[in-house]
Amino acid sequence: MESVFCRVSGWYLCVFWMVGVACVAAPTRLYADEVRSPDGKLVVSFEVVSVDQHDGCLVYRMAYDGKPVLADSRLGLVADGGAAWDRGWRVTGVTTASGDQTWTPVCGERSRIRDHYNEMTVSLQNDATPQGQLRLIFRAYDEGAAFCYELPKQEGPQPLKFAAERSEFSFTGNWMCWPVYSAQGVYTTVLLDQVKPNCERPLVVEIAGGPYVAVGEARLVDYARMRLEPAGKPHTIRSMLAGPVVMELPYRTPWRVVMVGQTPGELLEHNDLILNLNAPCALADTSWIRPGKVIREVTLTTAGGKACIDFAVKRGLQFVEYDAGWYGHEYDDASNATTVSPDRKKSNAAGGLDLQEVIRYGNERGIGIVLYVNRRELEHRLDEILPLYEQWGVKGVKYGFVNVGSQHWTTWLHEAVRKAARHRLMVDVHDEYRPTGYERTYPNLMTQEGIRGNECMPPAEHNLILPFTRMLCGPADYTVCWYASRIQTSHAHQLACPVVYYSPWQFLHWYDRPAQYRGEPELDFFKVVPAVWDDTRVIQGEIGQYITVARRTGEQWFVGTMNAQKRRQLQIPLGFLPEGRRCTATIYGDAFPNGEDSKAVKIEERPVDARTVLTADLAANGGQAIHLVPADSAR
């Protein structure tokens, strides 16, 4: 059966041909328009249609490089009390715009980011509701599409309260996808129709023959978090809010994002789309924001803090973090984060903690101190804590076990990031929070957890799902470590982590202690690897199997390769190097690719250039890290 739509007197007639007989169906398409990406490959089509005897329903669909990606997908909101804002609409106007600018992040995977899109804003009127004006904003990028709802200032009772959002993503087939049901959960590999409610975003979907698609969220600041749920029809998921939303008009919702890439590696290369959908940096002075590498101090003593500072100086780290317990047990009502009173169950009580002395000692040596504070104290004393820590000379705060999801707690957390900026404090958010690009607007938001990292010691297969799923939405505090016996991968695999997993604050010794260091030469890679980058390339990768990422800072390149499941030999072309530039490659790889000793690392040096193709012989669950330095530069 074939069909075609034609417009007649403002209506669309759908004409079907079946077995050579033509018939004309009742009008269903009332309005249609589209917006294309700058390169013309991605097309977002919007229509007002009649569905199930309801006029004025809102739908969109999406195609990429001539191939359908999303079929007709409904749009709409559900008002408190059950009234549906997904029907009865008519178009009152359409405007188009485009944007093309390049901006520089304070911390990033690239030093320059291009924000290039075409935009269509559809103004709608619904005469059946007291507040009957709505705008739908669609953006088409070369890297994907996004849309959001905007309610302009208008007459009628306010604020408006909505119980749900009904944004659908209706795929053209029952494709493979990688859902997870908590931000720190275990990923599964299932077909779309097997996705369950409360699916975390982004959700990555592999369309047969390409492209790969990721459904996500951007610019979540004062709205309820979106997760995903089945929509009740085949191959379709829809937005699932963590609670109701109250809107003071005018109001614009977060963006719903559909990233595209011909390969899973292209999705990771396209993750700047999330940042581009956020507001520019709101801080006039960002000179105090400092990326770097971190070691955790767990003895909660002065001596332990100074030992970590000395280790940081020697090993090229920039921060020491005092974790839970420095002000008492984090769940004891008697604990007070304005005082220094270490939890006796965690600390060496005989050693004592003079935090001011540790801060002074660190500042003298260029090492900043970061303090962990549990949400109980943050919610109770935030306005007291932040100016006090600024006075102490603390450089950042790790927000622990924050509440997430509802509009209230979403708003609270982002206000807590803004408040920290007023006191020149950087922030690391743990635990279930996942980013949506707010670090562009407030770059003191350095990193966040929202990932199942080495606190849980996941298997290598999980580690190889993360780059193509979790890492699409922003930095992740994976808590890399070295000496822990529970690591389920090779040491060379761990060396690759800070290259593959981007985080402006990179925790490299989560379970490690300075006294464990024995001068292992392979740890020189942790010493020299930076935390932020000027350029990023994904050389190759398959979800859950392997990945190679190359990143540049200045003239030096770092390459991380991670492997899972079985022994592999991967070819790593160095075509990203400048033509004609000779470099020295220091290669840290699995010493025993047959798996005999996963902790042993082989180090070799060799001259290379842009035409060199290296072979990585990777153990099952192994890896490789490479440091490339111009041959005419001093190490």
Side-chain angles (χ1 to χ4, degrees):
M1 181 175 68
E2 297 182 0
S3 64
V4 65
F5 292 104
C6 56
R7 188 171 186 175
V8 180
S9 300
W11 293 77
Y12 280 82
L13 299 181
C14 182
V15 184
F16 293 87
W17 287 269
M18 181 181 290
V19 200
V21 179
C23 62
V24 179
T28 55
R29 260 53 177 180
L30 310 180
Y31 180 88
D33 213 331
E34 67 180 30
V35 60
R36 292 177 176 266
S37 60
D39 66 5
K41 289 185 177 181
L42 187 144
V43 182
V44 181
S45 302
F46 167 75
E47 296 178 346
V48 181
V49 302
S50 296
V51 177
D52 299 329
Q53 299 181 338
H54 295 295
D55 289 336
C57 297
L58 311 174
V59 301
Y60 77 103
R61 60 180 178 271
M62 179 175 158
Y64 181 70
D65 205 15
K67 182 175 183 177
V69 171
L70 295 178
D72 283 1
S73 304
R74 294 284 297 271
L75 296 168
L77 303 166
V78 178
D80 189 40
W85 279 48
D86 64 350
R87 62 194 66 168
W89 296 100
R90 56 184 173 85
V91 175
T92 60
V94 176
T95 60
T96 59
S98 61
D100 189 3
Q101 63 173 328
T102 301
W103 58 280
T104 300
V106 176
C107 301
E109 298 179 75
R110 301 156 191 88
S111 59
R112 301 288 286 169
I113 296 174
R114 189 179 184 187
D115 185 7
H116 192 198
Y117 61 87
N118 292 322
E119 182 177 280
M120 176 175 67
T121 300
V122 182
S123 297
L124 300 154
Q125 180 70 42
N126 191 324
D127 299 326
T129 62
Q131 296 84 14
Q133 297 178 46
L134 176 68
R135 297 183 188 127
L136 287 171
I137 303 173
F138 297 92
R139 280 192 185 177
Y141 292 79
D142 295 347
E143 300 82 9
F147 64 88
C148 67
Y149 303 85
E150 184 176 76
L151 282 80
K153 189 72 175 177
Q154 52 195 290
E155 299 298 325
Q158 293 183 33
L160 300 183
K161 185 175 182 180
F162 291 91
E165 179 188 320
R166 292 291 183 254
S167 300
E168 291 184 350
F169 307 87
S170 187
F171 286 85
T172 56
N174 194 19
W175 312 126
M176 192 68 69
C177 62
W178 284 263
V180 67
Y181 298 95
S182 71
Q184 300 180 75
V186 177
Y187 283 86
T188 57
T189 306
V190 302
L191 296 174
L192 264 169
D193 289 346
Q194 297 173 290
V195 172
K196 298 178 290 187
N198 207 39
C199 175
E200 184 61 271
R201 77 279 190 257
L203 174 66
V204 173
V205 179
E206 179 184 2
I207 295 175
Y212 286 77
V213 174
V215 177
E217 180 173 30
R219 206 196 66 222
L220 174 64
V221 180
D222 58 359
Y223 193 81
R225 178 197 60 208
M226 180 187 79
R227 282 185 172 169
L228 301 164
E229 65 179 356
K233 59 184 183 181
H235 329 321
T236 303
I237 54 176
R238 69 182 180 190
S239 55
M240 177 184 178
L241 299 185
V245 174
V246 176
M247 301 181 186
E248 291 282 357
L249 305 189
Y251 190 92
R252 180 181 286 192
T253 70
W255 293 96
R256 285 32 186 133
V257 185
V258 183
M259 299 170 61
V260 293
Q262 291 291 0
T263 64
E266 275 195 10
L267 285 181
L268 183 54
E269 289 186 328
H270 292 172
N271 65 354
D272 286 338
L273 178 57
I274 300 296
L275 295 172
N276 282 333
L277 290 165
N278 281 263
C281 180
L283 302 178
D285 176 17
T286 60
S287 61
W288 52 274
I289 296 174
R290 182 186 178 200
K293 294 167 286 186
V294 192
I295 183 171
R296 180 176 66 141
E297 205 295 299
V298 296
T299 70
L300 307 181
T301 64
T302 306
K306 288 185 173 182
C308 282
I309 290 168
D310 291 341
F311 180 82
V313 171
K314 184 177 181 179
R315 302 307 306 160
L317 311 181
Q318 288 73 42
F319 297 96
V320 172
E321 184 245 356
Y322 271 89
D323 212 63
W326 68 268
Y327 61 87
H329 193 286
E330 61 182 311
Y331 286 106
D332 187 341
D333 289 337
S335 297
N336 184 329
T338 67
T339 65
V340 180
S341 50
D343 182 355
R344 292 186 176 183
K345 293 182 179 179
K346 289 189 173 185
S347 70
N348 177 359
L353 174 57
D354 184 345
L355 185 57
Q356 293 299 315
E357 170 60 15
V358 173
I359 293 170
R360 183 202 63 78
Y361 189 82
N363 286 339
E364 282 186 350
R365 290 156 179 78
I367 306 300
I369 301 300
V370 178
L371 299 180
Y372 171 94
V373 182
N374 181 275
R375 68 164 184 85
R376 290 159 59 98
E377 282 294 279
L378 294 171
E379 293 166 15
H380 183 49
R381 291 184 228 272
L382 184 68
D383 293 334
E384 185 181 358
I385 285 170
L386 298 179
L388 180 64
Y389 294 174
E390 180 185 23
Q391 178 185 332
W392 286 358
V394 171
K395 303 304 180 185
V397 186
K398 181 176 172 181
Y399 291 176
F401 291 100
V402 295
N403 280 307
V404 296
S406 71
Q407 183 182 30
H408 170 79
W409 289 116
T410 298
T411 303
W412 179 90
L413 179 57
H414 290 90
E415 174 62 14
V417 172
R418 296 191 292 271
K419 287 181 176 181
R422 292 172 204 150
H423 297 284
R424 299 169 72 91
L425 290 167
M426 295 171 279
V427 175
D428 176 3
V429 179
H430 275 225
D431 292 80
E432 280 289 298
Y433 174 78
R434 278 197 168 180
T436 63
Y438 199 58
E439 65 269 24
R440 178 185 181 186
T441 311
Y442 278 86
N444 64 310
L445 176 55
M446 304 301 290
T447 192
Q448 49 271 304
E449 194 174 11
I451 190 170
R452 189 177 185 84
N454 265 352
E455 288 186 272
C456 301
M457 295 299 179
E461 182 178 0
H462 175 88
N463 289 351
L464 269 301
I465 294 175
L466 294 176
F468 307 107
T469 53
R470 165 62 181 83
M471 302 309 300
L472 302 184
C473 64
D477 187 358
Y478 180 87
T479 55
V480 181
C481 56
W482 186 259
Y483 295 106
S485 61
R486 295 184 295 124
I487 295 174
Q488 297 193 50
T489 68
S490 77
H491 269 174
H493 183 109
Q494 293 294 312
L495 286 177
C497 284
V499 180
V500 175
Y501 302 146
Y502 168 65
S503 180
W505 272 2
Q506 191 73 250
F507 281 75
L508 290 184
H509 292 281
W510 181 251
Y511 287 116
D512 302 340
R513 308 291 179 268
Q516 294 176 287
Y517 177 64
R518 294 292 181 269
E520 296 90 340
E522 58 268 31
L523 284 178
D524 284 350
F525 187 79
F526 279 172
K527 181 177 182 179
V528 297
V529 68
V532 294
W533 309 95
D534 293 322
D535 195 7
T536 292
R537 315 278 182 90
V538 181
I539 307 303
Q540 59 193 331
E542 294 293 337
I543 302 176
Q545 299 181 45
Y546 60 88
I547 191 172
T548 300
V549 178
R551 302 190 193 262
R552 177 179 63 83
T553 293
E555 294 186 325
Q556 299 186 26
W557 283 87
F558 296 79
V559 183
T561 298
M562 298 165 67
N563 183 44
Q565 301 183 19
K566 64 181 182 181
R567 181 177 179 179
R568 281 188 177 87
Q569 286 192 341
L570 295 178
Q571 303 302 304
I572 303 178
L574 303 185
F576 50 82
L577 293 174
E579 189 65 37
R581 172 64 65 86
R582 298 286 295 176
C583 291
T584 299
T586 304
I587 304 168
Y588 305 80
D590 295 312
F592 298 97
N594 60 5
E596 182 180 340
D597 182 357
S598 65
K599 302 300 185 285
V601 177
K602 178 183 178 181
I603 306 173
E604 59 177 322
E605 285 193 0
R606 57 171 292 184
V608 298
D609 59 24
R611 300 182 183 182
T612 303
V613 178
L614 299 175
T615 298
D617 194 359
L618 306 164
N621 310 321
Q624 183 189 81
I626 306 172
H627 182 199
L628 296 154
V629 180
D632 55 358
S633 299
R635 282 291 300 273

